[in-house]
Amino acid sequence: MSTRDADDRREYYRIEDTIALEFRPLKQGETADGSGVDSASQLFNLLSELHLMDFESQHLLRHIHERDRTLASYLKVINKRIDLLGQAVAHSLLRDIGPARQVTLSEGGIGFSSDQSIELGTHLAIKIVLMPQALGLLLRAVVIHSQPRDDGQFDIGTEFEALTDAQRQLLARHILQKQAQQRRQARERSSPTP
């Protein structure tokens, strides 16, 4: 099933979310690796790598826990310290990326508004910081639709390209956590208070 089916069926579950987002068009043959020389790009790459390494090492921590609980507990404390450093980096990056904005997010792509139209087929480097865990991801996407709105903005729809398995799973985990949070909030609103 494709995300562009005529009857508008979706391959991935989509959520409405508020995230920090920065995007730029890629030149022909350019990669989205963020290899710019500015310190913000270097910090963003560091944050992104921290989260990917954390995700990729989770199975190792489970194996260590089975063999040596004391060592596993110590490594969890170290991991929490690194997470705190990552959150500090993320908050400093939010100043450079800009204020959080409403997006539609799935494992397959991201939709957002822009003050200018972007040509279909344009490849983008997209930096996102997912909150509240301050998860930074640098992704490559292609524009699949760009439609004008009544307020002068444009609705831009993109499809991610060449996601690693770790990136896809981090997106999926964030989406599942957001879904669970939205369900809890809906239950709290609908349940009568004593």
Side-chain angles (χ1 to χ4, degrees), residues 16 29 36 40 48 56 85 87 108 112 119 135 138 151 158 165 184 188 191:
E16 298 293 320
S48 183
E56 291 169 349
L85 289 172
Q87 288 176 6
F112 56 91
E119 188 175 324
L135 171 62
L138 178 60
D151 62 0
T158 68
D165 189 46
R184 275 192 308 274
E188 288 169 3
S191 65

Side-chain angles (χ1 to χ4, degrees), residues 19-22 90-101 129:
I19 66 169
L21 168 77
E22 179 181 276
H91 287 291
S92 69
L93 283 173
L94 290 176
R95 288 185 297 238
D96 297 326
I97 292 178
R101 61 165 87 182
V129 179

Side-chain angles (χ1 to χ4, degrees), residues 33-109:
D33 66 1
S35 55
V37 294
D38 64 334
S39 61
S41 290
Q42 292 172 355
L43 281 176
F44 190 86
N45 289 343
L46 172 67
L47 180 65
S48 183
E49 285 301 313
L50 280 173
H51 283 97
L52 289 174
M53 286 188 311
D54 179 49
F55 179 77
E56 291 169 349
S57 65
Q58 288 300 312
H59 72 284
L60 296 172
L61 188 56
R62 283 191 294 276
H63 289 298
I64 291 170
H65 189 275
E66 291 171 3
R67 293 189 183 119
D68 188 344
R69 290 179 187 233
T70 305
L71 177 59
S73 295
Y74 174 72
L75 291 174
K76 285 182 182 180
V77 169
I78 296 298
N79 198 29
K80 285 181 184 178
R81 292 176 74 186
I82 293 171
D83 284 344
L84 289 173
L85 289 172
Q87 288 176 6
V89 169
H91 287 291
S92 69
L93 283 173
L94 290 176
R95 288 185 297 238
D96 297 326
I97 292 178
R101 61 165 87 182
Q102 269 305 115
V103 299
T104 303
L105 182 65
S106 77
E107 291 176 58

